[in-house]
Amino acid sequence: MSDVTIFAPSPLLTVTVEQVEGSDEIHIHAGGQGVWQARMLRSLGIDVTVCCALTGEIGSVLRDRIAHEGVTVSAVERAGRGAAYVHDRRGGEREEIAEQEGDPLNRHDLDELYSLTLRDGLEAGLVVLSGPAGEGTLPADLYRRLASDLRQAGARVVVDLAGERLAAALEGGVDVLKVSHEEVIDDGLAEDASVERLLPAMHELRSRGAGAVIVTRASDPLLFLDDDGALQVASPDVVAADSRGAGDSLTAGVVAGLARGESLRDALTLGAAAGALNATHHGLGTGEGGAIERLREAVTVGEIPRGAPSDTPTAGRVSPDGLAALAEPPTDTDEKDPA
């Protein structure tokens, strides 16, 4: 039995071209929000099941790639086009060469995937609802139904969503919501990323169905709100190599803490450390567990007084060499630079 189940309806195949010592290297990996979260959870020693739809020949490759990372795959297999992209990173920045969104799930596929997620989610007792690779992959209302049914049956539900899918999940009710400040602003709930603007939005999100709310603010301290009040959580100000995937790693770190039996407030520090370390990598959802645990010691937490929000100082900048010094000698055997 896995510790955590992740609903990752439409994973994608990622093909990335690198240049190493003057020669081209091609890397093929599984990707997508739920897969990146699962990868980080595995780095933190958590057993994970990913519930997904695997489509066509791309799906066959994805099953192998996901399982290779030590993740249990619970899948609906179907014909058609799966989601994938090809990126060229030889010049130092990502350049999109090609992208395929993949075919939407039909009613039969949705019913089967729903049943798999309920079964595995209730067995684990802790479920992450993540988004699909394509906007048109599945109806948003599925998140309302899943959130409601899982919680009614006793599972804890964590969501990392935005837009219509977020609104649907809130209608069903969730234990923990993680969202970025950009997504809060895009939904018209706040005008900017200041504490004064975001805290009322977080109260609104709680009134709409979230037990606790985490709002990330890029390099600024994240905000947290629950029944006991509001916190700011500041990660060390790392030198980022690629900020993509840091939010998914943060979510995975929080969920890893919950799976270990930590309180949500304590789990926030593990999430902040996981997100910070991932930002120093080019690979998404990557980070050596020992380094994350050591970096966690540099995360700072401060209460936000009721009615008087104010920013707390961030921790000092940590260089890549400094991050390496935080970790014990690595024993990581994962593939090089998942992307």
Side-chain angles (χ1 to χ4, degrees):
M1 181 179 71
S2 293
D3 303 311
V4 176
T5 292
I6 298 179
F7 177 67
S10 178
L12 69 144
L13 186 67
T14 73
V15 181
T16 307
V17 186
E18 306 272 6
Q19 189 166 72
V20 180
E21 297 180 352
S23 299
D24 290 346
E25 286 189 359
I26 300 175
H27 300 275
I28 300 175
H29 296 286
Q33 184 184 32
V35 172
W36 294 322
Q37 290 166 344
R39 181 176 293 141
M40 178 56 74
L41 281 161
R42 289 297 301 131
S43 295
L44 292 166
I46 304 300
D47 291 331
V48 187
T49 293
V50 166
C51 294
C52 59
L54 297 177
T55 307
E57 61 182 357
I58 285 176
S60 299
V61 177
L62 283 170
R63 177 182 283 279
D64 175 76
R65 291 293 82 200
I66 296 172
H68 181 78
E69 299 192 43
V71 175
T72 300
V73 180
S74 186
V76 175
E77 296 186 0
R78 64 190 190 129
R81 301 181 309 153
Y85 70 62
V86 180
H87 285 180
D88 186 343
R89 208 161 60 191
R90 287 174 292 184
E93 301 292 332
R94 289 182 182 270
E95 179 184 353
E96 183 179 298
I97 304 301
E99 183 175 6
Q100 177 172 287
E101 186 170 293
D103 295 331
L105 278 70
N106 62 36
R107 182 178 60 80
H108 175 76
D109 298 331
L110 289 170
D111 287 347
E112 188 176 352
L113 182 56
Y114 196 92
S115 295
L116 290 176
T117 305
L118 280 181
R119 181 197 68 191
D120 295 337
L122 294 178
E123 188 173 80
L126 180 57
V127 184
V128 181
L129 301 183
S130 68
E135 289 300 316
T137 302
L138 74 169
D141 189 61
L142 192 75
Y143 288 92
R144 176 191 62 81
R145 294 168 50 211
L146 270 176
S148 177
D149 288 350
L150 286 164
R151 293 184 80 231
Q152 287 293 326
R156 289 180 292 174
V157 175
V158 178
V159 301
D160 189 348
L161 300 167
E164 291 184 357
R165 291 188 286 271
L166 168 57
L170 285 174
E171 189 176 344
V174 304
D175 294 281
V176 184
L177 162 65
K178 177 264 175 183
V179 65
S180 73
H181 76 273
E182 294 99 338
E183 292 159 342
V184 173
I185 293 170
D186 288 346
D187 284 345
L189 295 176
E191 296 178 359
D192 56 47
S194 67
V195 178
E196 290 82 358
R197 295 291 187 270
L198 287 174
L199 274 180
M202 295 168 72
H203 282 285
E204 170 68 16
L205 289 167
R206 291 198 71 221
S207 74
R208 289 168 53 186
V213 178
I214 301 166
V215 176
T216 57
R217 297 191 295 158
S219 60
D220 289 329
L222 69 82
L223 304 181
F224 173 79
L225 182 67
D226 65 3
D227 286 339
D228 296 323
L231 302 175
Q232 287 192 101
V233 181
S235 304
D237 189 12
V238 299
V239 180
D242 187 347
S243 61
R244 291 185 351 129
D248 295 327
S249 291
L250 184 147
T251 299
V254 171
V255 172
L258 294 176
R260 295 175 181 178
E262 298 180 13
S263 71
L264 177 54
R265 287 188 163 213
D266 287 339
L268 284 172
T269 61
L270 183 60
L277 188 63
N278 181 82
T280 70
H281 294 191
H282 285 293
L284 278 66
T286 60
E288 198 272 323
I292 292 169
E293 295 290 354
R294 295 294 302 276
L295 189 59
R296 186 182 193 181
E297 299 171 8
V299 174
T300 60
V301 179
E303 295 275 354
I304 300 175
R306 293 182 187 273
S310 61
D311 291 323
T312 55
T314 60
R317 177 174 294 274
V318 179
S319 70
D321 289 342
L323 284 173
L326 287 169
E328 299 294 333
T331 57
D332 192 7
T333 57
D334 289 346
E335 291 182 90
K336 179 182 177 182
D337 192 21

